[in-house]
Amino acid sequence: MTGATILGCAGPVLSRDEAAFFRQADPWGFILFRRNVLDAAQLRALTGALRDAVGRDAPVFMDQEGGTVQRLRPPLARDWPDACAQRGDAAAIRLRHRLMAAELRAVGVDGNCAPVIDVAGPDTHPFLRRRVWSDDPADVAAKARAAAEGLLAGGVLPVLKHLPGHGAANADSHLTLPRCTQPLDALVARDFAPVRALADLPLGMTGHMVIEALDPETPATLSPVVLRYLRETLGFGGLLMTDDLSMNALPGTLPDRAARAIAAGCDLVLHCSGDLAEMEGVVAASGALGAPWRAETALAARRVPAPIDIAAATAELDRLSNPQV
């Protein structure tokens, strides 16, 4: 039975022990990082080996936002800018992500942990700020919609992050637990607005931050109150994964984090380090996928892309990104 996990591996080649473990654990999907990338042929072989290990066309994800967070680099991908430095309107964003999807698909990756739908504000941490399009929630929603459309057109599943909104939080969750102190009406008008606008999209990722207006003690990833609000009030119906369980924002052991996330309402837990001993504990605590209908709906959005003329699309993107004034 498919596990409620998305897992990483240690290096550029799948080891015999990793393959055996994945065969038994049967994670729903995989995630790759720079440590897993040497060249195009190697990466295609690795993504194929991961799918062979579970005996199905499992989704393979990367974080390919551009700029600060970009796992594929030249020559495997264009040197994409951070969101805050991107130029052009929704058409340019859509085309940029269509080209990004082509780069990912060329090496066997068909999921992108993007777009970021956080809204910039006075408390946004600098590490997140440069990954955010705007301080205008309508602009963020429109650009994120275009990005998701470009990825889907290119056969890549987008993952909205960080739900229900990380922009008002005041720290980097890789290092410590951020807190969002804004009142609920301010969050609804600003930080939660892109979630509501994009609630129909197939996948999302939680944020590891305390939203004091909803649950003053528990990070969103582990909070039944926050995740119920995400589902029932904001209307997000997609497959919901955690952000990386290994980040310092979360309390407890990795198995405890995994069990609490699933109990709170996450469909999948994301474990990124590729450490086999850690993965064993996470898999045991996560159990089997509990919402197969949401997983099936998400996978149904992954389609074979129409051919694209890369040179022509690149020229058009350059034109859209540099309008004449």
Side-chain angles (χ1 to χ4, degrees), residues 14 42-54 56 60 107-108:
L14 195 64
Q42 165 270 323
L43 194 48
R44 284 191 293 269
L46 177 59
T47 55
L50 290 168
R51 293 183 171 109
D52 287 345
V54 294
R56 56 186 164 81
V60 179
V107 292

Side-chain angles (χ1 to χ4, degrees), residues 284-297:
S286 303
L289 183 64
W293 63 92
R294 283 199 284 262
E296 290 165 6
T297 300

Side-chain angles (χ1 to χ4, degrees), residues 109-239:
V109 175
D110 56 9
N112 188 1
C113 296
V116 174
I117 63 169
D118 302 317
V119 181
D123 293 327
T124 306
H125 190 274
F127 178 72
L128 180 61
R129 178 61 186 86
R130 56 182 176 263
R131 300 161 58 195
V132 171
W133 273 302
S134 174
D135 60 2
D136 178 351
D139 183 50
V140 170
K143 288 179 176 176
R145 172 72 68 182
E149 289 172 350
L151 291 170
L152 287 166
V156 171
L157 294 172
V159 181
L160 300 177
K161 63 185 187 186
H162 306 84
L163 305 183
H166 207 305
N170 59 4
D172 179 358
S173 54
H174 294 83
L175 305 176
T176 190
L177 177 60
R179 303 189 73 88
C180 170
T181 61
Q182 296 292 316
L184 186 58
D185 58 350
L187 293 171
V188 169
R190 185 184 182 88
D191 294 84
F192 296 167
V195 182
R196 196 186 295 274
L198 301 165
D200 60 298
L201 289 175
L203 296 104
M205 176 187 289
T206 64
H208 300 332
M209 67 283 179
V210 169
I211 300 174
E212 293 184 356
L214 294 175
D215 184 338
E217 301 298 330
T218 312
T221 298
L222 309 180
S223 172
V225 174
V226 174
L227 298 188
R228 185 164 56 248
Y229 185 89
L230 174 65
R231 294 291 195 194
E232 297 178 2
T233 303
L234 299 181
F236 180 72
L239 190 67

